[in-house]
Amino acid sequence: MNGMFFSVLGLGFVLGLKHALDPDHMAAVSTIVSESKSMKRSSLIGTFWGLGHTISLLCAGIVVIALKVQISERIASWMEFGVALMLILLGIRAVLKPLRGWKLHVHRHTQMVVHTVMCMSTAQAKTSTNIAI
């Protein structure tokens, strides 16, 4: 093998690292990995996410090179839209996850006090608000 092969391979590796550290990847991976409390499980999830991403890009690259296909601007825009949609859904999921298990309980007392209790599961703290009317 000649030096050109290793140069191209090294350049691909460096560009892949740059791609992996882009904000969209960092947001997606950190959101997915942070769901697990275990360092081992988080590492495994991150590893498989990276492998899946690499294999998909490799397959797409092989198709583009072997079939000499060009990805049009329109298709590229739809792919970017898909990425944006995925990031929005991951963000919504990350925001809603801490709110799971919360219940809002409102009732009136005979003294005309509205009592609102927002509570989580029984193992977690309770927050209450009393408003006199």
Side-chain angles (χ1 to χ4, degrees), residues 1-103:
M1 299 213 182
N2 61 26
M4 181 65 116
F5 175 76
F6 289 112
S7 297
V8 170
L9 197 59
L11 178 63
F13 180 74
V14 169
L15 291 174
L17 285 176
K18 181 198 169 297
H19 174 79
L21 296 173
D22 282 345
D24 60 338
H25 284 82
M26 296 304 286
V29 174
S30 63
T31 302
I32 294 167
V33 169
S34 67
E35 292 179 0
S36 176
K37 302 274 189 255
S38 161
M39 179 70 97
K40 182 179 178 182
R41 181 161 165 73
S42 293
S43 299
L44 196 60
I45 291 169
T47 300
F48 281 113
W49 187 90
L51 286 173
H53 191 72
T54 301
I55 290 168
S56 340
L57 287 173
L58 181 64
C59 291
I62 289 171
V63 168
V64 166
I65 292 169
L67 300 177
K68 297 180 181 170
V69 176
Q70 242 184 351
I71 299 174
S72 70
E73 284 294 321
R74 185 173 182 203
I75 291 173
S77 294
W78 277 106
M79 293 169 110
E80 288 292 329
F81 177 76
V83 169
L85 189 61
M86 181 199 66
L87 288 171
I88 290 168
L89 292 174
L90 283 171
I92 290 170
R93 185 175 171 195
V95 168
L96 293 179
K97 185 177 181 184
L99 300 177
R100 277 190 217 137
W102 283 79
K103 296 176 193 146

